[in-house]
Amino acid sequence: MKTLYMMRHAKSSWDYDVPDEERPLNERGLRDAKLVGKELRKLIKPVDKVMCSPAKRAHSTAQIVLEQLEISKDIFFLENDLYDFGGQKVMEAIKNCNDEINTLMIFGHNHAFTSIVNFLGSERIDNLPTAGVVGIEFDTDHWNDINVGKNLLSIFPKFLR
């Protein structure tokens, strides 16, 4: 069995004149990331590996959530292919994951994440909101063989506020 948790970065700020990959989280994003992290702590399986887009908003979201989950930074990796909005590079990063990893958590961006959740999951969603997480379980031992799996959870911050 393989389990994938996909979390979209929390709400970012447009108040700064910085390149897209340098946009920070805004106040709501900081609160939502912590809120979702606390909820995840009650619901998820132990995570073997965490991969994150190098964009500041995704990295900040991941750091907040990992702190709430008490996950070691030793299993955290920045992955340039997750700074992808179409989804092809994200899928490649997932499918190329080492098969010794059973539970993978990734942090990244839309539209890629909504598309992949709908492609791989058993339940369709209209949009993976900022700080939203979907968990999907696959009945396979190889990441390269994942296809449609079973949705385990969907956590959206607006339902936790």
Side-chain angles (χ1 to χ4, degrees), residues 36-115:
V36 171
K38 285 181 179 181
E39 185 70 12
L40 279 172
R41 186 173 35 199
K42 301 179 229 173
L43 301 172
I44 69 169
K45 299 176 178 183
V47 175
D48 299 315
K49 183 175 184 177
V50 178
M51 294 192 308
C52 180
S53 161
K56 185 174 185 173
R57 60 195 181 273
H59 189 209
S60 297
T61 301
Q63 295 304 316
I64 293 166
V65 170
L66 296 183
E67 184 177 304
Q68 296 302 311
L69 297 175
E70 299 177 352
I71 289 178
S72 168
K73 296 199 189 312
D74 294 344
I75 64 167
F76 176 82
F77 301 90
L78 290 178
E79 174 56 61
N80 289 332
D81 285 346
L82 296 184
Y83 187 64
D84 172 30
F85 303 96
Q88 183 174 347
K89 288 182 179 182
V90 174
M91 283 296 295
E92 288 173 12
I94 295 166
K95 287 189 169 244
N96 288 327
C97 192
N98 186 313
D99 287 332
E100 291 178 14
I101 303 300
N102 289 314
T103 304
L104 174 66
M105 178 176 270
I106 64 173
F107 292 82
H109 310 273
N110 255 356
H111 296 286
F113 273 36
T114 295
S115 296

Side-chain angles (χ1 to χ4, degrees), residues 8 11-12 16-17 19 30 34 59 61 64 66 72 87 102 104 107 114 118 134 141 146 149 158:
R8 183 178 171 197
K11 193 79 170 160
S12 62
Y16 304 94
D17 185 21
L30 293 167
K34 189 172 184 177
H59 189 209
T61 301
I64 293 166
L66 296 183
S72 168
N102 289 314
L104 174 66
F107 292 82
T114 295
N118 285 330
V134 172
D141 293 324
I146 64 170
K158 71 179 179 180

Side-chain angles (χ1 to χ4, degrees), residues 6-19:
M6 297 182 67
M7 183 166 186
R8 183 178 171 197
H9 66 79
K11 193 79 170 160
S12 62
S13 175
W14 291 92
D15 293 341
Y16 304 94
D17 185 21
V18 295

